[in-house]
Structure formats: structure tokens, C-alpha cells
């Protein structure tokens, strides 16, 4: 199988999930997997071209397509990650079209909370998506969006990093550290978090806020923080994934206030470390966080509601314990053993498992449930040449 996705040089949810999936699948005896980054580095002196605006896009796309053409003949399945809008055209589209031209099975792994607007405004994406043999999304939210456009899809959750350590938090007596670590772009509405924190500081002047990540909105957000006269507010830039557990451990409450979202892996990371969550009801977030059970949800773009919910967590020990305990239990759905069965079920389905496994182990044959992902039987361990 050829996995096509952003490399970790592009720090974001797609790259992180691709790296985790690649790491786990390489441990499977039944899968032979290769990785092609959507953002390949040019060789030698040609790398200088990737420093020039517009030129770097053309050079990167050309390099990607050349590498794709070289590798396609050696694989049975093309598994391609995808986001919306322009990024859908420069890597996922050639991967899908060329994969089908070479007679390969194609999995489109779509991962963008802006899917509805993308499909409505870029209608030419729909026939490309239809060419994929299977469309998979990390959340039932996107499955529901795709259904509006007559596109079948199935949900397979993101994978949580098992290296995170859980710590039971209670009401902080001092410090009161808040954390936000989404990309600093308009759709994540970090402005709402800053305005909420201004209200929090009116009651707790010693509270602090850490803003981790980069993005086009950073200068404007730093200016807003000055206008709001926020104290103890740090913009620390992007944090490498191998340091994320350390950052999460320093916080008492996690705030996120997007207007558009899909399935943020940061929420699963909070589940894993015992960090209580306040989030807006954007996109796929209510599909992950259940209000008053695994976190607190508030309306989008309502900084007063965000602040009020955050103050509840600062002042109610029982609430924090209940939410984080339930969240830790909910995390079982996102661990690799459960996700593994679903992905291997899809791969086996595409490689005509019935003729290869039925004689040796009937339980390894996937069973399709209407409207749900393909599930592999409990004993399915057959060999997949993918």
C-alpha cells in the first residue's frame, strides 16, 4: 500500500495522524506499506526553488507527481489523505486520478471540517471523490456532510498516542494555567479565547494563558492581547509533537473556540492526560465531546459562555473529576486495537479477501454492516499484499 499524506514538516493534525497510522501499520505482518509525502523536498540545489513564492508550489506539485508516477506500479492500494479547497487539487486529485488510471484501489481519507463549503463551492471535486473506491473520514460528522451530496463515506476514528500519561486534576489553588494549541487562523477563532480569558482574569488576576502554534493570525492576536491588557499571556509558537505531552501537563484547563472544525486530535490528547476541556459546538466537536459528561460545550463565537464554563472548572472539583474520568474511559474507542481492525477490514475488502482468506480462516472475512465501516472478525490475521 502507498500512503500519501503531509509529512511532519507541515505541523498539523493530518501529518500527526498520518505518522501514527504509518507507525502502527509498519508493525503489521499483513501489510507492506510505503509513504509518499505530499510536500516532498526537492533534491540538492533545486531545494532553493521551494523558497520562492508561487514557484515553490509548482515545483513541489511537479516533484510529487513525478514521484507518484514512479511508485504507483509497485502498489495495490493508494491511501491518500485530503483536505479541502486548493490543497485537494495539488495532491489528492492527481493521486486519485492516476491511481485509478493505473488500475489501483484508492482510499480517500478526507479530513477537513470545511467539507460542506468545499463541496458546495468546488463542485468539480465531487466527481473526483466518486472515483475513489472507498471514502473514509475520521468523524461521523463528515460522513453526515458527505451524505448531503450523495457521497457514501464511512468513519474510522483518529488514533491516540499511547505515550501520554494521565494525571487526575482538581481545582488549582494558584497559577490557573489555561492552554490553547490550535493553528492561529481565522476559522479557529482564537480571538474568542482571548476575550474569554480577559473575563477570567477579572476574577483571577493570577491566571495565565499559553497560546501554542503559529498561523497567519498571530500578529493580529498579539495586538488584541495588548488591547485587552491581558497579563500572563504567552504566544510560544509551534510545539513539536514529541513535546506536546509536557505542554499539556503544565495546564489546568484547555480552551478551544473554533467556528469550523472536524475531529481535533488535541481533544483526544486532553482526554489522555486528564485535562478538562471547554470547547465550542463547532463541526465535529460534539461528535467527540459530550456536554457535561466528557467536557463543556458552548455556542460558537460566545466568549462570555466560554469564560463562564472555564470558571466552573476552576471552582468545581467534582465536575473536573467527573469530566476527566469519563473522558479517559471514552478514549478506549480511539486506541489502536479498535482502529486497527477497521483499517485492516477496509484493506482486505479492497484486495478481495474472500478468495484469499475464506478457506483458511472464515473469521478474517470482513462483514459489511449497512451504513457503518467494514469490521474485521475478531480473529482476522490473514496476509494482505497491499
Amino acid at each position: 500500500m502507498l500512503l500519501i499524506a503531509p509529512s511532519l514538516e507541515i505541523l498539523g493534525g493530518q501529518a500527526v495522524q498520518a505518522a501514527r497510522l504509518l507507525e502502527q501499520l509498519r508493525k503489521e505482518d499483513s501489510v507492506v506499506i510505503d509513504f509518499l509525502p505530499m510536500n516532498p523536498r526537492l533534491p540538492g540545489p533545486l531545494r532553493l526553488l521551494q523558497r520562492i513564492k508561487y514557484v515553490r508550489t509548482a515545483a513541489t506539485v511537479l516533484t510529487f507527481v513525478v514521484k507518484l508516477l514512479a511508485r504507483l506500479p509497485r502498489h495495490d492500494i493508494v491511501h491518500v489523505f485530503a483536505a479541502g479547497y486548493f490543497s485537494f487539487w495539488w495532491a489528492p486529485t492527481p493521486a486519485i486520478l492516476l491511481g485509478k488510471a493505473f488500475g489501483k484501489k484508492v482510499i480517500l481519507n478526507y479530513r477537513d471540517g470545511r467539507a460542506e463549503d468545499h463541496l458546495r463551492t468546488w463542485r468539480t471535486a465531487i466527481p473526483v471523490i466518486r472515483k475513489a473506491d472507498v471514502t473514509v473520514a475520521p468523524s461521523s460528522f463528515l460522513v453526515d456532510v458527505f451524505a448531503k451530496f450523495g457521497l457514501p463515506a464511512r468513519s474510522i476514528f483518529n488514533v491516540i498516542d499511547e505515550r501520554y500519561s494521565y494525571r487526575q486534576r482538581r481545582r488549582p489553588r494558584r497559577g490557573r494555567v489555561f492552554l490553547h494549541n490550535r493553528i492561529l487562523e481565522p476559522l479557529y477563532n482564537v480571538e474568542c479565547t482571548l476575550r474569554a480569558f480577559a473575563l477570567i482574569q477579572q476574577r483571577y488576576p493570577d491566571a495565565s494563558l499559553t497560546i501554542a502554534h503559529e498561523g497567519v493570525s498571530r500578529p493580529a492576536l498579539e495586538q488584541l492581547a495588548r488591547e485587552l491588557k491581558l497579563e500572563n499571556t504567552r504566544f510560544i509558537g509551534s510545539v513539536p509533537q514529541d513535546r506536546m505531552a509536557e505542554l499539556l501537563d503544565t495546564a489546568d484547563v484547555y480552551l478551544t473556540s473554533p467556528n469550523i472544525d472536524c475531529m481535533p486530535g488535541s481533544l483526544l490528547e486532553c482526554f489522555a492526560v486528564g485535562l478538562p476541556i471547554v470547547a465550542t459546538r463547532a463541526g465535529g466537536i460534539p461528535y467527540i465531546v459530550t456536554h457535561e459528561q466528557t467536557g463543556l460545550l458552548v455556542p460558537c463565537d460566545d466568549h462570555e459562555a466560554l469564560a463562564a464554563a472555564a470558571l466552573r472548572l476552576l471552582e468545581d472539583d467534582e465536575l473536573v473529576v467527573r469530566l476527566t474520568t469519563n473522558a479517559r474511559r471514552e478514549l478506549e474507542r480511539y486506541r489502536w486495537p479498535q482502529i486497527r481492525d477497521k483499517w485492516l477490514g477496509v484493506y482486505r475488502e479492497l484486495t478481495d479477501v474472500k478468495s484469499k482468506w475464506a478457506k483458511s480462516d472464515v473469521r478474517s472475512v470482513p462483514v459489511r454492516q449497512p451504513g457503518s465501516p467494514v469490521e474485521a472478525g475478531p480473529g482476522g490475521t490473514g496476509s494482505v499484499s497491499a
Side-chain angles (χ1 to χ4, degrees):
M1 181 176 68
L2 180 62
L3 179 63
I4 300 172
S7 73
L8 284 172
E9 290 184 4
I10 300 179
L11 193 59
Q14 281 201 69
V16 169
Q17 283 301 312
R20 289 179 188 166
L21 185 61
L22 184 64
E23 177 186 8
Q24 295 295 343
L25 289 176
R26 280 178 170 164
K27 300 174 185 177
E28 296 291 329
D29 293 336
S30 59
V31 178
V32 178
I33 189 168
D34 190 11
F35 177 66
L36 175 60
M38 293 176 171
N39 51 313
R41 287 188 173 187
L42 269 65
L46 293 177
R47 196 168 299 166
L48 296 174
L49 296 175
Q50 291 180 306
R51 300 181 182 178
I52 305 171
K53 193 175 182 180
Y54 303 120
V55 172
R56 67 168 167 255
T57 300
T60 300
V61 171
L62 180 60
T63 303
F64 169 75
V65 171
V66 169
K67 289 178 175 288
L68 177 64
L69 288 169
R71 296 198 194 183
L72 274 175
R74 305 198 301 268
H75 299 86
D76 303 308
I77 296 176
V78 178
H79 181 160
V80 56
F81 277 45
Y85 301 109
F86 178 72
S87 66
F88 183 81
W89 293 109
W90 68 264
T93 293
I96 293 169
L97 297 181
L98 290 173
K100 296 310 297 179
F102 276 75
K104 309 302 179 180
K105 298 294 186 179
V106 175
I107 300 169
L108 172 62
N109 197 181
Y110 192 97
R111 321 176 67 87
D112 195 326
R114 302 166 296 175
E116 185 163 358
D117 186 66
H118 171 216
L119 297 177
R120 182 178 293 113
T121 57
W122 296 53
R123 303 290 296 190
T124 50
I126 294 176
V128 176
I129 293 171
R130 289 191 191 281
K131 289 184 178 296
D133 295 278
V134 175
T135 298
V136 176
S139 168
S140 297
F141 162 67
L142 285 182
V143 174
D144 293 345
V145 169
F146 271 58
K148 295 179 182 179
F149 296 88
L151 295 170
R154 57 186 78 174
S155 174
I156 299 180
F157 295 148
N158 284 338
V159 182
I160 185 62
D161 189 336
E162 297 288 353
R163 291 169 288 191
Y164 289 116
S165 297
Y166 182 85
R167 175 168 68 85
Q168 180 62 74
R169 287 163 171 79
R170 296 182 183 275
R171 178 172 32 172
R173 304 302 174 189
R174 57 187 177 85
R176 301 176 179 88
V177 180
F178 291 83
L179 173 65
H180 180 288
N181 73 333
R182 310 301 302 282
I183 298 174
L184 308 185
E185 293 183 352
L187 74 161
Y188 293 118
N189 195 9
V190 188
E191 177 181 333
C192 182
T193 293
L194 293 178
R195 294 189 184 281
F197 186 64
L199 297 178
I200 293 167
Q201 277 203 326
Q202 290 178 12
R203 185 178 300 187
Y204 295 102
D206 66 337
S208 65
L209 172 64
T210 300
I211 304 289
H213 229 311
E214 291 288 356
V216 296
S217 299
R218 179 168 177 172
L221 292 168
E222 290 179 327
Q223 177 61 32
L224 177 62
R226 289 189 289 269
E227 293 173 1
L228 293 171
K229 296 181 170 50
L230 298 182
E231 300 291 337
N232 309 321
T233 301
R234 301 184 303 149
F235 289 79
I236 64 173
S238 296
V239 176
Q241 193 62 29
D242 59 4
R243 291 185 51 212
M244 189 56 64
E246 177 185 347
L247 177 65
L248 292 168
D249 190 58
T250 66
D252 298 304
V253 176
Y254 183 82
L255 300 177
T256 184
S257 50
N259 292 333
I260 298 172
D261 219 324
C262 179
M263 187 185 182
S266 58
L267 299 185
L268 302 184
E269 292 167 351
C270 291
F271 284 7
V273 301
L275 184 60
I277 294 166
V278 183
T280 50
R281 299 178 183 274
I285 289 179
Y287 289 72
I288 307 170
V289 178
T290 302
H291 182 53
E292 297 283 355
Q293 294 186 32
T294 57
L296 298 180
L297 299 178
V298 300
C300 291
D301 206 25
D302 187 341
H303 67 279
E304 293 181 351
L306 193 71
L311 290 171
R312 286 184 63 194
L313 294 177
L314 291 184
E315 298 166 358
D316 189 338
D317 274 350
E318 289 187 8
L319 175 63
V320 170
V321 171
R322 184 179 83 243
L323 295 179
T324 54
T325 300
N326 289 340
R328 187 184 189 187
R329 191 177 301 119
E330 175 72 8
L331 199 63
E332 292 303 314
R333 303 169 64 198
Y334 303 91
R335 298 193 186 282
W336 176 244
Q338 285 72 32
I339 307 304
R340 170 189 180 274
D341 289 345
K342 292 181 172 63
W343 277 122
L344 292 186
V346 173
Y347 302 151
R348 290 167 180 164
E349 174 189 356
L350 294 180
T351 52
D352 192 20
V353 67
K354 204 172 271 190
S355 63
K356 295 184 179 182
W357 286 276
K359 294 181 180 179
S360 60
D361 186 354
V362 154
R363 293 175 301 169
S364 71
V365 179
V367 177
R368 183 190 298 274
Q369 300 294 337
S372 71
V374 172
E375 299 280 351
T381 58
S383 173
V384 177
S385 176

